Amino acid sequence: MKIKLFLITLMVTTGLFAQRTPETIQSKKLGNRTFTVVTPASYESSPEKKYPTLLVLDGEYLLDPFEGILKYGAYWDDLPEMIIIAVNQNYGETRFADSEFDEAGFPSGSGANFFEFIGQELYPYVDKKYRTLPFRIIAGHDTTAGFLNFYLYKDNPVFNAYISLAPEMAPEMEKRVAERLTKITKPLFYYQATGEGDLKEINEKAAELDANIKVIPNATFKYQNDAFKGASHYSLVAKAVPNAIYFVFDGYQPISMVEFQDKILKLDAGYTDYLIAKYDELEKRFGFKIKPRLSDFKAIEAAILKNKAYNELMPLSDFANKHYPKTTLGTYHEALYFEKTGNYKKAIKSYQKAFTQEAVREITKDFMMNRAEALKGKPDEPTEDAPAETPTNQPTEKTE
């Protein structure tokens, strides 16, 4: 009996964690290459869902820190779930061969082959086998951090975000990256990190690139540079990874108490518009749809009620019905609008519509029926937000 219970528990809990899959691809350019694909916890249970990707170079040792922070952030809904592709490069001289460049500072030999392998072989393989979205991040450390910058040399780079940790740069790279960032029209995120205790050459070139990027006028990209005090070449990775991921997905997080107090409550109007704009901007920035959180609906509802902006409950109801159709969420906001504007008869009818709808959290059928029951017998008392309607069976006052 105990063994059976253990097996059942194991099967249930296994589905709650990410799945690591070792992969091998026969490359025409590089021969046999291995990598690991990590699918998020919801991958099996949400077969219709697609995910952005993170390509981790030096996958043998960079996978764990990136996977850890992504798991943590996704648990709190601070970060989106992602598919991680960790490329194995730490055997022999592979990582150096993969990053080879010529005297002019451009990929050459095996470096040029690896560059093409990523875009022409690895990603087509992953995109075909896994449910991916076009939003792509690439990350690397020292040699591979310098290499990832080569993708910015293309007019339409295959990656949307770049995480460069203590980069060892090719000739002229500290100038070329800044120049390319001024010309690429695609929205980009660029993160660079160095440690105080690293090699002098690494820090000098990174500082020069930082200076070149910061003087770019009217930047259309997002940029962050972290120079960690007291950090070594290796310890900076542990400090930089969470900063980098949260930098890329800044604004993805649900409405916080600080955002609620400092931004939303201080609005004179447009509380629902604020919520709509938040998710429109996220879709524009990341290129994938994010379902509005129920907690964000609750925050906007609280702001509306606190500021007595009851008319905004109706557009909030429409927004809820768009993203949570056939549920009680939009119906609740509609009914609450009628209740707060004194139209109790309509409020009762709206609350009662929930009987045939799917419950959303605490907005259950019983909750809605109880709200309707509490309003029975109350005469309508239209507020200034909802002027009294002239009864159709009563004559109107004639004006001359």
Side-chain angles (χ1 to χ4, degrees):
M1 184 65 185
K2 289 183 179 179
I3 295 176
K4 184 182 290 185
L5 181 61
F6 171 76
L7 291 174
I8 292 173
T9 303
L10 181 63
M11 285 188 292
V12 171
T13 55
T14 298
L16 301 177
F17 298 96
Q19 178 72 40
R20 288 192 178 195
T21 304
E23 293 274 11
T24 300
I25 185 171
Q26 185 62 38
S27 168
K28 293 179 181 178
K29 299 179 180 298
L30 301 172
N32 213 39
R33 294 303 296 255
T34 62
F35 57 100
T36 299
V37 175
V38 184
T39 50
S42 68
Y43 193 82
E44 297 299 330
S45 60
S46 303
E48 77 294 339
K49 188 175 180 180
K50 295 184 178 182
Y51 303 85
T53 59
L54 165 64
L55 179 69
V56 180
L57 304 176
D58 287 318
E60 291 94 334
Y61 70 89
L62 282 186
L63 172 57
D64 285 340
F66 276 103
E67 183 183 7
I69 197 62
L70 283 171
K71 277 185 178 179
Y72 177 82
Y75 181 87
W76 298 109
D77 198 21
D78 272 356
L79 297 172
E81 289 186 307
M82 301 190 71
I83 292 174
I84 306 174
I85 309 158
V87 182
N88 297 326
Q89 295 178 278
N90 279 256
Y91 50 94
E93 297 295 312
T94 303
R95 68 193 301 267
F96 301 107
D98 287 346
S99 306
E100 184 183 353
F101 52 82
D102 58 25
E103 293 181 358
F106 296 100
S108 65
S110 56
N113 287 337
F114 184 71
F115 182 91
E116 293 178 353
F117 162 74
I118 295 294
Q120 298 177 14
E121 295 182 319
L122 179 62
Y123 255 103
Y125 175 88
V126 171
D127 288 341
K128 183 178 180 180
K129 186 172 180 179
Y130 297 91
R131 301 193 305 275
T132 62
L133 288 169
F135 190 85
R136 298 169 175 173
I137 305 174
I138 186 171
H141 182 220
D142 57 55
T143 297
T144 59
F147 171 83
L148 63 82
N149 286 316
F150 287 134
Y151 288 99
L152 288 169
Y153 291 8
K154 293 289 186 179
D155 290 334
N156 185 28
V158 298
F159 295 99
N160 306 82
Y162 300 77
I163 299 175
S164 176
L165 308 177
E168 294 180 3
M169 297 188 193
E172 301 298 310
M173 186 170 275
E174 66 274 15
K175 299 176 183 177
R176 287 172 178 157
V177 168
E179 290 172 356
R180 293 301 304 152
L181 287 172
T182 65
K183 297 177 180 179
I184 298 171
T185 57
K186 179 179 181 177
L188 292 178
F189 302 81
Y190 191 86
Y191 176 88
Q192 177 179 259
T194 54
E196 183 182 30
D198 211 334
L199 294 174
K200 182 179 179 181
E201 182 182 357
I202 288 178
N203 286 343
E204 285 180 347
K205 284 202 169 187
E208 187 174 346
L209 174 58
D210 176 52
N212 291 337
I213 292 176
K214 285 180 177 176
V215 297
I216 295 174
N218 305 316
T220 57
F221 55 90
K222 288 192 66 179
Y223 170 68
Q224 181 171 317
N225 179 75
D226 285 331
F228 294 105
K229 295 287 185 181
S232 70
H233 182 72
Y234 301 105
S235 65
L236 74 88
V237 171
K239 297 174 180 287
V241 168
N243 282 18
I245 293 295
Y246 273 91
F247 155 71
V248 173
F249 291 107
D250 179 42
Y252 176 89
Q253 298 75 25
I255 293 172
S256 65
M257 185 56 68
V258 173
E259 183 179 2
F260 179 76
Q261 295 284 353
D262 293 351
K263 293 184 179 180
I264 299 173
L265 275 186
K266 293 181 179 180
L267 295 172
D268 294 326
Y271 306 101
T272 299
D273 289 341
Y274 181 96
L275 182 64
I276 295 172
K278 175 184 175 72
Y279 284 93
D280 284 347
E281 173 61 24
L282 289 177
E283 182 178 348
K284 178 182 177 182
R285 187 185 304 175
F286 302 126
F288 56 90
K289 291 183 180 295
I290 301 168
K291 193 170 186 177
R293 285 95 164 185
L294 296 173
S295 61
D296 287 353
F297 278 98
K298 201 68 179 175
I300 298 302
E301 176 197 330
I304 289 172
L305 296 181
K306 186 173 181 62
N307 292 295
K308 298 181 179 180
Y310 303 133
N311 280 338
E312 294 209 24
L313 287 167
M314 287 304 285
L316 187 63
S317 171
D318 293 338
F319 192 58
N321 286 330
K322 178 181 178 181
H323 293 280
Y324 293 88
K326 300 180 181 179
T327 72
T328 56
L329 186 62
T331 300
Y332 165 70
H333 291 126
E334 176 189 87
L336 189 60
Y337 163 75
F338 289 128
E339 180 181 343
K340 291 299 182 180
T341 54
N343 200 329
Y344 301 122
K345 292 179 182 177
K346 286 189 175 181
I348 291 170
K349 290 182 179 179
S350 290
Y351 281 127
Q352 290 175 337
K353 287 195 300 186
F355 188 77
T356 60
Q357 295 176 327
E358 180 184 343
V360 172
R361 289 189 180 176
E362 72 275 6
I363 310 174
T364 62
K365 295 176 184 179
D366 287 344
F367 170 81
M368 298 285 275
M369 295 304 113
N370 290 337
R371 295 283 293 230
E373 191 66 29
L375 296 178
K376 286 183 178 178
K378 294 186 69 172
D380 286 353
E381 299 175 359
T383 65
E384 292 181 1
D385 284 335
E389 297 178 3
T390 302
T392 56
N393 61 342
Q394 296 292 327
T396 58
E397 183 179 345
K398 185 177 181 180
T399 57
E400 297 297 332

